[in-house]
Amino acid sequence: MKLIIPIAGRGKRVRPHSYSNPKPFLHVAGKYVIDYILKPFLLLNPEEIIIIHDRYTEESVKENLPKLYPNIKFKFAMQNHPLGTAHAIYQAKDFIKPQDDIIIVYADEILLDDITNLYELVNGYDGIIFSREVKDPENYGVLLHENNILTGLIEKPKNPSSNLINVGMYYFPEGYNFINHFVKIVLDKGENEVGEFFLTDAFINMVNEGKKILIKNVNDLDTGSVEKLLSANKILLNGSVSKDTNVTLENTQLFENVSIGKNSKLINCKVRSSIIGNDVLLEGLEIEDSIIGNNVTVKMNGKKFNLGSNSSII
Amino acid sequence: MKVIIPVAGKGTRVRPHSYSKSKSFLKIAGKTVIEYLIDHLSTLNPEEYIIITDMAYNKDYKNFLETKYPNYKFSFPIQEIPLGPGHVILQAKDLIKKGDDLFILFSDTIFVKDLSCINHLKKESDAIIFAKEVEDYQRFGVIVHNNKHITKFVEKPSTPISKLAAIGAYYVKDGKNLIKYIEKLIKLNIMINGEYFLTDAFVLMIQDNKTLFVEEVDDWFDTGKIETILATHQKILKGGIWKGDNLQIKNSIIGKNISLGNNTQIINCNIENSIIGENTILQGLTIKDSVIGDNVKIKKDGHSFNVGDDCYIQ
């Protein structure tokens, strides 16, 4: 099995943190986002993890992933222009051989369920799309299904007949065929109205050729915005506190759902529901629902500000 | 004459601002560093401006400069691997034709000098190295000369053998020849800490009996780190204030040497010696010696922090 993870884009909804780190290297609940993303898939022993990066994320992923996971074989492919999800996945083409099954997972998605039964689950089907139920399907691309098998996809339907949307995780036992045939058809057809190639069009191609794709509901966490990252932090910590090595607390109270990175020091602080990075110094502050990056110093009543774009203290 | 401005580089010493934009896009008194450089060098009437960027920001420079200066000719070669100031000039190799003289300006440097001096200085020299006397000569590479003729360069001297430091601005009469000297440097593997320095190419020229002049500039502003950016800002504003469009200033004291970007709101604040970006809202704060980016919101006693890497309030 090979895992394909696109890690591209500027992460506009997680600024300012995404200015200095690609989204998978943001802190959440005592680890990096990528640690939680990979966790359920590592149990399936992937032979290779293929990272699709762009020019913004290239240096960071090539430098950091092998360090974090020295025992995993990583391959890297560049997506030169942001031309959509099918175009991104297609960059993995040269790494997928006949006989390879593939899992595709987007770098905002944390899967909370155990999927070690994946190979039994897919038995008889041509693929699996992982889904979740939403209360407002009219705002999403909705999965149409019959007996849990995909029949079609509608973008933002006015009268939705289904409330299932795709989570951004897929499994294809015939990975080579998926990429070289179904995804290729999408690319050969030309860009859509927004100038991009969508992976969901590949699924429609599969349905049109009589392929059976199973839709499976899962529990997942989206980490694609500051609010969602804080929410994920709460759910993953479940009330507790995570402190990395060499954290110093002086006259400081930590309430629920606090994650603190290594070498950080908090003096006269009260903190709840927050993510604090590495090498941080905080003095005299009350903090809640906050994300503070790495190497940050904030002293109460400080007058010298060195604050990057898109920061806020409100 | 062709102008070469290398703008590649991470700008580690101007973080966090260099996370959200390339360091030459930082604004001082409402104008980006790159504009200060180009406006000054336009007095030379160059035939072409060669802006050497890294991969990530190449398009940003192209879009910005071609829009801002539609009548100037630009080229934007890319430096893929950072191997020092000597090596970066090589990326312009194919753009330098026989007979081209060059003005090379490294992008951390705003300087004051009437460049018409080149017209007579070039008659008797092969290159002109612009310099300024500094007090802390031990930090710099200094230039030893005999009546303007450079005899040697000394890195970080412990005694004041000379206090003239190269500021990062150079005129070279034969551009193609300079390229040959840089290539010789690489062939001879003359590196310091994994980088090739332009100064070492000049040393090779001196060894070949070329004539190099040193010429002192009237003033020199470094934009390479936060403290010197603020000092540069002071020198440019001379106690004054730069105001963008559509500002809202209520019940605030705006002191000396302040830049306020477009659409920014300052409410109940006391500000001195600071650069504030665009679309920023500051409420109830005392701020001095500060650099605050764009789209920043700070309210006094705010509890919810969204603060990126390498920020400080102290």
Side-chain angles (χ1 to χ4, degrees):
Chain A
M1 182 272 282
K2 292 182 181 174
L3 187 56
I4 303 176
I5 311 180
I7 300 181
R10 301 184 92 161
K12 287 190 184 147
R13 292 178 306 146
V14 228
R15 285 174 175 169
H17 313 286
S18 49
Y19 281 133
S20 48
N21 302 287
K23 292 184 289 182
F25 298 115
L26 299 181
H27 295 284
V28 69
K31 294 193 208 287
Y32 293 116
V33 166
I34 189 71
D35 295 323
Y36 285 106
I37 292 177
L38 288 179
K39 188 163 158 214
F41 301 108
L42 292 179
L43 295 174
L44 295 169
N45 277 320
E47 171 191 335
E48 236 171 59
I49 301 184
I50 301 160
I51 306 292
I52 317 291
H53 58 77
D54 59 18
R55 59 196 161 103
Y56 297 109
T57 56
E58 177 176 15
E59 200 187 319
S60 190
V61 298
K62 282 184 176 172
E63 214 180 278
N64 292 311
L65 283 175
K67 274 191 212 157
L68 280 176
Y69 293 91
N71 298 325
I72 292 190
K73 207 161 147 195
F74 285 101
K75 292 270 155 62
F76 298 96
M78 163 86 91
Q79 185 190 24
N80 263 312
H81 302 285
L83 293 174
T85 44
H87 179 261
I89 300 305
Y90 195 68
Q91 308 314 310
K93 182 171 92 73
D94 293 339
F95 298 115
I96 306 299
K97 311 285 173 243
Q99 316 307 326
D100 282 340
D101 52 334
I102 58 175
I103 297 180
I104 297 169
V105 59
Y106 286 106
D108 285 343
E109 285 301 321
I110 294 177
L111 177 65
L112 293 173
D113 298 342
D114 180 333
I115 48 155
T116 44
N117 64 342
L118 184 67
Y119 302 124
E120 287 119 55
L121 198 60
V122 82
N123 198 11
Y125 298 104
D126 300 299
I128 306 177
I129 294 180
F130 293 97
S131 55
R132 84 161 92 91
E133 273 184 26
V134 291
K135 297 197 173 106
D136 55 339
E138 58 282 358
N139 291 322
Y140 293 87
V142 163
L143 300 168
L144 301 175
H145 58 101
E146 220 175 272
N147 295 327
N148 294 321
I149 302 216
L150 184 72
T151 52
L153 272 141
I154 307 191
E155 267 305 308
K156 300 192 183 17
K158 292 216 170 75
N159 290 310
S161 54
S162 154
N163 62 353
L164 294 185
I165 64 166
N166 86 62
V167 146
M169 286 179 211
Y170 317 100
Y171 175 61
F172 296 105
E174 290 182 12
Y176 186 82
N177 202 34
F178 175 72
I179 290 191
N180 288 287
H181 177 61
F182 294 108
V183 174
K184 183 148 199 315
I185 295 176
V186 177
L187 293 176
D188 288 342
K189 198 165 167 204
E191 293 96 328
N192 63 16
E193 325 79 60
V194 295
E196 289 185 13
F197 302 96
F198 285 166
L199 197 62
T200 41
D201 287 335
F203 307 150
I204 294 176
N205 293 338
M206 289 176 82
V207 168
N208 290 340
E209 287 194 23
K211 298 294 183 188
K212 296 195 177 0
I213 305 180
L214 176 70
I215 299 190
K216 171 92 178 88
N217 265 2
V218 289
N219 293 303
D220 71 304
L221 292 175
D222 180 357
T223 60
S225 68
V226 170
E227 297 73 35
K228 294 225 166 98
L229 201 49
L230 282 171
S231 174
N233 185 58
K234 281 185 196 158
I235 293 172
L236 291 167
L237 283 177
N238 196 25
S240 69
V241 162
S242 167
K243 286 185 287 183
D244 207 326
T245 51
N246 197 31
V247 165
T248 311
L249 304 173
E250 264 175 45
N251 193 30
T252 287
Q253 275 178 289
L254 300 182
F255 297 95
E256 71 284 1
N257 298 321
V258 175
S259 171
I260 306 180
K262 54 188 169 185
N263 310 323
S264 289
K265 189 167 176 183
L266 278 64
I267 304 170
N268 299 331
C269 291
K270 288 185 179 156
V271 189
R272 69 166 22 101
S273 297
S274 295
I275 302 170
I276 296 170
N278 304 330
D279 303 296
V280 171
L281 171 60
L282 303 175
E283 226 176 84
L285 307 172
E286 276 186 36
I287 297 170
E288 59 184 14
D289 298 319
S290 298
I291 303 184
I292 295 179
N294 303 306
N295 195 36
V296 170
T297 297
V298 181
K299 294 183 186 176
M300 181 180 77
N301 298 328
K303 301 194 177 69
K304 288 193 187 183
F305 291 69
N306 186 25
L307 268 192
S309 295
N310 293 81
S311 300
S312 63
I313 305 172
I314 49 181
Chain B
M1 146 128 56
K2 292 182 179 166
V3 157
I4 300 180
I5 307 179
V7 297
K10 286 193 183 142
T12 53
R13 295 174 305 150
V14 283
R15 285 173 173 168
H17 310 285
S18 48
Y19 283 130
S20 54
K21 49 180 89 151
S22 174
K23 61 184 171 147
S24 303
F25 285 135
L26 293 187
K27 284 190 178 172
I28 301 178
K31 191 162 145 179
T32 59
V33 168
I34 188 71
E35 284 170 270
Y36 281 108
L37 304 181
I38 290 183
D39 288 345
H40 186 194
L41 297 184
S42 67
T43 59
L44 295 169
N45 259 322
E47 147 198 355
E48 187 177 351
Y49 296 85
I50 302 170
I51 314 291
I52 307 178
T53 76
D54 46 31
M55 189 78 136
Y57 289 114
N58 189 265
K59 279 195 184 142
D60 295 331
Y61 275 103
K62 193 165 153 58
N63 292 336
F64 180 75
L65 290 174
E66 287 181 346
T67 307
K68 203 88 194 185
Y69 301 100
N71 299 324
Y72 292 179
K73 181 166 185 235
F74 288 102
S75 298
F76 299 95
I78 296 176
Q79 182 194 38
E80 307 231 356
I81 310 174
L83 289 172
H87 177 264
V88 73
I89 303 302
L90 275 188
Q91 312 313 309
K93 179 179 171 176
D94 296 336
L95 296 163
I96 300 170
K97 309 293 176 223
K98 193 169 171 178
D100 282 343
D101 50 346
L102 302 174
F103 196 101
I104 298 170
L105 180 58
F106 285 93
S107 62
D108 285 345
T109 304
I110 297 177
F111 69 103
V112 178
K113 179 73 177 174
D114 183 342
L115 293 175
S116 60
C117 63
I118 294 177
N119 291 327
H120 65 266
L121 289 172
K122 73 182 181 187
K123 289 181 185 155
E124 306 206 3
S125 66
D126 299 295
I128 305 165
I129 303 197
F130 291 90
K132 187 92 177 75
E133 257 202 27
V134 292
E135 280 317 301
D136 49 345
Y137 52 87
Q138 304 93 329
R139 286 206 301 128
F140 292 89
V142 299
I143 299 169
V144 181
H145 67 104
N146 186 0
N147 198 25
K148 270 195 190 319
H149 288 244
I150 298 178
T151 50
K152 58 181 173 178
F153 297 90
V154 181
E155 266 307 304
K156 300 189 184 12
S158 39
T159 59
I161 177 173
S162 163
K163 290 190 190 174
L164 274 178
I167 65 167
Y170 311 91
Y171 170 77
V172 176
K173 197 147 80 179
D174 186 344
K176 258 186 141 38
N177 211 26
L178 176 68
I179 296 292
K180 286 208 182 96
Y181 277 104
I182 297 176
E183 286 176 331
K184 188 170 173 189
L185 205 66
I186 291 173
K187 195 162 173 219
L188 294 173
N189 218 24
I190 300 176
M191 283 180 137
I192 305 173
N193 282 335
E195 295 193 317
Y196 298 102
F197 285 86
L198 197 56
T199 314
D200 288 327
F202 293 131
V203 167
L204 290 178
M205 286 173 77
I206 292 177
Q207 284 170 5
D208 276 355
N209 287 324
K210 299 284 182 204
T211 303
L212 270 58
F213 279 173
V214 60
E215 178 72 5
E216 213 178 335
V217 301
D218 302 319
D219 214 343
W220 169 32
F221 310 142
D222 176 10
T223 58
K225 50 183 187 159
I226 300 287
E227 298 77 27
T228 52
I229 284 189
L230 285 173
T232 302
H233 181 242
Q234 268 181 2
K235 285 192 197 178
I236 290 173
L237 282 178
K238 299 184 175 64
I241 300 174
W242 184 85
K243 283 184 175 168
D245 298 328
N246 193 30
L247 294 175
Q248 281 184 53
I249 303 176
K250 288 185 190 140
N251 194 32
S252 295
I253 301 174
I254 312 288
K256 291 191 195 159
N257 298 313
I258 310 278
S259 283
L260 299 173
N262 298 333
N263 312 316
T264 279
Q265 295 177 35
I266 310 289
I267 302 160
N268 299 333
C269 291
N270 186 337
I271 312 183
E272 203 184 290
N273 193 41
S274 297
I275 300 173
I276 316 284
E278 302 189 345
N279 307 312
T280 283
I281 303 176
L282 305 176
Q283 225 174 63
L285 307 168
T286 302
I287 297 172
K288 59 177 196 169
D289 306 329
S290 298
V291 181
I292 296 179
D294 304 325
N295 305 311
V296 173
K297 280 200 195 63
I298 319 176
K299 290 187 187 165
K300 179 184 165 70
D301 298 333
H303 295 315
S304 180
F305 288 68
N306 189 27
V307 172
D309 289 359
D310 297 292
C311 293
Y312 60 74
I313 304 173
Q314 54 194 10

